[in-house]
Amino acid sequence: MTYLLAFLSSFIFVGLKSWQQLNVVHRKYWWILPTSLAMALCEVYVVSTIAKTGWGLVALAIGFGAGLGAILATWLHSHMTK
């Protein structure tokens, strides 16, 4: 369960980072603050998970979640802001 939660939180966190970058580039000012707050919550969870479990296989789950989250967020943002 730890690996699944680490994957999901990293997926969401990095997805939000990608979304945030696109918000800034496209001047979506109203989305910047709420996205930042959501990013902070996810980041705290990811860091605390690493602190509790160490770097073992959880790093792999976090890495895959991060990559897939960035891909999905970029795709969603481009389709939602046409």
Side-chain angles (χ1 to χ4, degrees):
M1 189 63 156
T2 300
Y3 298 112
L4 178 61
L5 290 175
F7 172 87
L8 290 174
S9 61
S10 179
F11 179 88
I12 294 167
F13 175 53
V14 176
L16 288 168
K17 279 180 148 181
S18 295
W19 188 270
Q20 182 74 309
Q21 180 180 359
L22 292 167
N23 288 338
V24 171
V25 168
H26 295 286
R27 297 182 181 155
K28 304 289 184 189
Y29 297 112
W30 288 103
W31 292 2
I32 292 173
L33 185 58
T35 304
S36 295
L37 294 170
M39 285 169 54
L41 292 172
C42 292
E43 185 174 20
V44 168
Y45 182 80
V46 169
V47 170
S48 68
T49 299
I50 293 170
K52 289 177 190 173
T53 62
W55 285 97
L57 290 176
V58 77
L60 190 60
I62 290 170
F64 275 113
L68 294 173
I71 291 168
L72 180 62
T74 303
W75 182 84
L76 279 174
H77 198 280
S78 69
H79 282 50
M80 292 177 68
T81 58
K82 282 186 177 182

